Amino acid sequence: MEAQVAATAKSAFYHLLLAQQLVPFLDRTNLATVIHSMVTSRLDYCNALYTGLPLSQIQRLQLVQNAAARLLMCLPRREHIRPTLEALHWLPIVYWIRFKVLVFAFKALNGLGLTYLRGLPPYMPQRALRSGTQHHLVIPGPREARLAATRGRTFSVAAPYWWNELLEEIRALQDGALPPGLQVGSSSRHRLLLVLGRRRRAALLDLPWEDVLVPHVLSRLPLRQLLRLQRVSRAFRALVHLRLANLRAFDAAQAGPHFPKAAFCALLKDNVALHQLALQDCSAWLSDTELLPVIGQNRHLQDITLSGCAQLSRQTLVAISLSCPHLRRLSLAHCEWVDSLSLRSLADHCKELEHLDLTACRQLKDDAICYLAPRSARLKSLSLAVNANVGDAAVEEIAKGCPELEHLDLTGCLRVKNEAIRTLAEYCPKLRALKVKHCHDVVESSLSILRNRGVELDVEPPMQLAVVLLQGVVGYAPFINLQI
C-alpha cells in the first residue's frame, strides 16, 4: 500500500496546485467545492483500505488535508491546523478511515451495503446478560483470522472492534430512525446524514462547465490528458467535447507521435474557435479531405503550420486564403504542391500576413514572389530557402514591397546576386537577420553594408573564415593582424 499512498498524495498535491490558481476567481464556497471535487475526494476514495497502516503512511495523506484546509481558509504555513479542521468539520485522516469503515458496517447491518459485507454476526451471549441488548458485534478470534500481521486490517475484525466502541445510542440506530433521547447538533446531524446515505457528495462535474471547468481547469490540461479524461464516463466525454469545441490552439504533437486520422476528424468536427493549428506531425495521412472542413469552419485562424504535409494540394492554400482573412503566420515548408496560382490567392486575401515560410516550395518562381511582395506590406519574416528558381527580381520586389521585413532566409537560392542584397540594404531599414549561405554569387562587398548596420548574417567575414580554416588545418590559430 505504500505505492498507493504515495501515488494518491502526489496526485492530490498536483490538483491542489491547480485549485490554488483558481483562488482569485472564486469565493470561499465555490473554492471549497473545487477542493472537495479535486483533492479531498481522492483522499476519500477507497480510504477504508488504509485501515491499520502505519502512521508514517497516514501522515502523508494528512499533509494533503492540512494543505487543502490552509488553502481554503487562506492560512499561513505555520498556523496550527487543528482548530481549522474543527471549524470546517473535517475529520483527520485516521478518524476519516475509521468513519468510512463504520459507514460500511452500518449499511451492512441494515441491509444497505454490499452483499459480501453483510456477514457481521451480532453478539448473542449464551445466557441473559446486559451486554446482550447493547447491539455489539462479534470480533473474530485468531483461529478465524490467522494472519497476525494483517489481522487488524481486515474488515471482519476492524469493523466490529470499532463498532463496539461507539455510543449505545448510535449502535441502536436503524435506517431512517433516531432514538428519541438522542440530541443531534449541526455537525452530528451532518455525520449522521452521511451514515444514512442521504447527502450526495460534491463532484467535479457539479461546477459550472463553461464558466469554471472549461476556462480554468481543462484549459490547463494537455491534449493527451484530455483524450484520456473522456474515457472516464459519458459526462466527462461531454465535458471534453465542450472543451474541444471551444479550443483555441490545436497542436497534433501534444496528442502523441502516432496521432490517428479518425481522432483528428472526431476532435475538430465541431470546433469553430481555432486560432492556431499545427499539423506538421500529420504528414503521413493528412489530405484535403480531412483538412478542408476544419479550415472552412474556423474563420478566425491566425497561425497555421503545415510543414512537410506532402499529400495536400493547391486547394488547401486556396481554402486558407478564402476562409482565413486574419491569417498572420503560415508555414508551408517542404510543401512542393504550392504553386504560383495558389500563392496569388493568398496574396489577394490575406493582407495581415506577417510570417511566411516557403522553404523548398520548388514550383515557385520570381513572378509569384513579385506578385506577393507588394500585397504583403506587413510581412516581417520570410523564408525562401532551397528555392533554386528565386532570383534577384523576387528579392528586389520583396525589399521594395515589404518595408517591415526583419528576417529573410535565402539559403540555397543560387540565382541571388549582389545587386539584390544591396537593394535589401537600401529599402529594408528594419532588417535584423539575413541568411545567404550557399548563395555563391553573394560576396562580402554587398554583405558588408548590412554587417556594418549590425544585421545578423550566417556568412562569416573572409578574414575570420580564413583564420578558422587555418586553425582546422594546422591545429592552432597563429597570430594574424586582422587590421591589414
Side-chain angles (χ1 to χ4, degrees):
M1 295 296 293
E2 183 177 356
Q4 169 66 20
V5 172
T8 301
K10 179 180 179 181
S11 178
F13 271 122
Y14 170 75
H15 287 86
L16 192 62
L17 291 176
L18 295 181
Q20 185 179 8
Q21 300 178 8
L22 301 178
V23 172
F25 307 101
L26 301 178
D27 56 10
R28 181 169 296 177
T29 302
N30 292 328
L31 182 60
T33 305
V34 173
I35 292 177
H36 285 312
S37 302
M38 301 177 63
V39 181
T40 57
S41 61
R42 299 178 181 275
L43 303 179
D44 181 67
Y45 179 71
C46 294
N47 61 355
L49 298 177
Y50 304 148
T51 303
L53 285 183
L55 292 179
S56 60
Q57 297 297 324
I58 301 298
Q59 182 63 22
R60 303 182 67 175
L61 303 177
Q62 186 62 51
L63 292 177
V64 177
Q65 188 186 46
N66 296 347
R70 288 191 175 94
L71 176 63
L72 180 59
M73 304 301 291
C74 300
L75 296 178
R77 182 177 180 180
R78 299 187 180 277
E79 184 75 17
H80 190 50
I81 197 62
R82 180 157 189 154
T84 304
L85 295 179
E86 293 178 354
L88 293 173
H89 300 292
W90 286 9
L91 288 173
I93 299 298
V94 175
Y95 298 102
W96 196 350
I97 295 171
R98 178 180 294 193
F99 176 73
K100 178 65 74 66
V101 173
L102 291 174
V103 169
F104 288 153
F106 178 86
K107 291 185 176 182
L109 293 174
N110 289 273
L112 302 176
L114 300 174
T115 305
Y116 59 84
L117 293 181
R118 296 180 184 178
L120 295 177
Y123 174 67
M124 300 295 294
Q126 297 180 357
R127 53 192 176 93
L129 296 175
R130 185 173 56 184
S131 60
T133 60
Q134 294 181 354
H135 304 89
H136 284 257
L137 297 178
V138 176
I139 301 177
R143 293 184 179 181
E144 300 180 24
R146 297 184 178 180
L147 297 178
T150 59
R151 182 176 181 271
R153 296 186 54 191
T154 58
F155 179 80
S156 60
V157 175
Y161 182 80
W162 287 335
W163 179 265
N164 295 341
E165 292 182 349
L166 292 175
L167 296 176
E168 183 180 356
E169 291 84 356
I170 298 179
R171 293 198 303 267
L173 285 176
Q174 301 295 326
D175 183 25
L178 291 177
L182 182 62
Q183 300 295 329
V184 182
S186 60
S187 61
S188 301
R189 184 184 297 110
H190 172 74
R191 296 174 185 176
L192 288 174
L193 289 176
L194 280 174
V195 172
L196 297 175
R198 300 293 179 82
R199 184 178 185 272
R200 180 176 176 269
R201 188 174 61 187
L204 176 65
L205 297 178
D206 293 338
L207 295 174
W209 287 15
E210 296 183 355
D211 296 334
V212 177
L213 291 182
V214 172
H216 300 298
V217 179
L218 266 66
S219 61
R220 301 182 181 275
L221 295 179
L223 183 59
R224 184 178 302 181
Q225 298 297 333
L226 286 178
L227 298 180
R228 294 178 179 177
L229 185 62
Q230 67 177 353
R231 305 175 187 173
V232 175
S233 65
R234 294 182 179 179
F236 274 100
R237 183 182 302 175
L239 177 62
V240 171
H241 284 180
L242 179 61
R243 163 62 180 161
L244 294 174
N246 297 276
L247 200 64
R248 295 295 185 92
F250 180 85
D251 189 354
Q254 296 182 359
H258 304 290
F259 187 59
K261 175 170 62 176
F264 171 79
C265 298
L267 292 178
L268 298 182
K269 65 178 181 179
D270 298 325
N271 191 290
V272 294
L274 276 180
H275 284 190
Q276 300 179 10
L277 182 62
L279 301 175
Q280 66 272 14
D281 292 341
C282 304
S283 57
W285 51 263
L286 187 64
S287 63
D288 295 344
T289 306
E290 295 81 27
L291 184 58
L292 290 182
V294 178
I295 297 296
Q297 65 191 17
N298 289 277
R299 304 186 64 85
H300 300 286
L301 277 170
Q302 299 180 4
D303 187 346
I304 300 178
T305 302
L306 300 175
S307 301
C309 297
Q311 300 185 26
L312 300 175
S313 67
R314 69 170 67 173
Q315 297 180 5
T316 296
L317 188 53
V318 173
I320 290 174
S321 61
L322 296 177
S323 303
C324 307
H326 304 292
L327 189 65
R328 295 185 178 181
R329 183 184 297 268
L330 179 61
S331 178
L332 300 172
H334 302 281
C335 295
E336 298 188 2
W337 46 267
V338 179
D339 58 2
S340 300
L341 182 61
S342 57
L343 193 64
R344 286 172 180 264
S345 177
L346 181 70
D348 290 334
H349 297 91
C350 298
K351 303 295 184 180
E352 300 180 8
L353 198 62
E354 296 180 357
H355 304 271
L356 181 60
D357 188 355
L358 298 174
T359 301
C361 296
R362 305 181 190 279
Q363 295 191 40
L364 297 180
K365 299 181 180 180
D366 283 349
D367 56 345
I369 305 301
C370 292
Y371 188 87
L372 171 70
R375 294 165 178 79
S376 303
R378 298 186 179 183
L379 203 61
K380 295 181 179 180
S381 176
L382 177 62
S383 176
L384 299 174
V386 203
N387 285 317
N389 296 324
V390 174
D392 284 353
V395 177
E396 291 176 359
E397 286 297 326
I398 292 171
K400 297 177 182 179
C402 304
E404 303 292 329
L405 192 66
E406 298 178 0
H407 301 271
L408 180 60
D409 190 353
L410 300 175
T411 303
C413 296
L414 304 179
R415 297 177 55 191
V416 176
K417 301 180 181 179
N418 287 328
E419 293 299 329
I421 303 302
R422 292 192 181 96
T423 306
L424 277 175
E426 180 179 358
Y427 287 94
C428 296
K430 298 183 179 181
L431 190 65
R432 296 190 302 173
L434 176 64
K435 296 183 180 180
V436 290
K437 199 170 184 178
H438 304 298
C439 296
H440 303 299
D441 293 332
V442 177
V443 297
E444 184 62 23
S445 60
S446 57
L447 295 177
S448 60
I449 304 175
L450 297 173
R451 200 184 303 277
N452 294 334
R453 281 172 35 186
V455 177
E456 181 181 352
L457 302 175
D458 62 343
V459 178
E460 298 178 352
M463 291 299 298
Q464 184 176 354
L465 181 61
V467 173
V468 173
L469 294 177
L470 184 59
Q471 183 180 5
V473 173
V474 301
Y476 66 97
F479 175 76
I480 297 179
N481 189 359
L482 299 180
Q483 296 181 353
I484 300 179

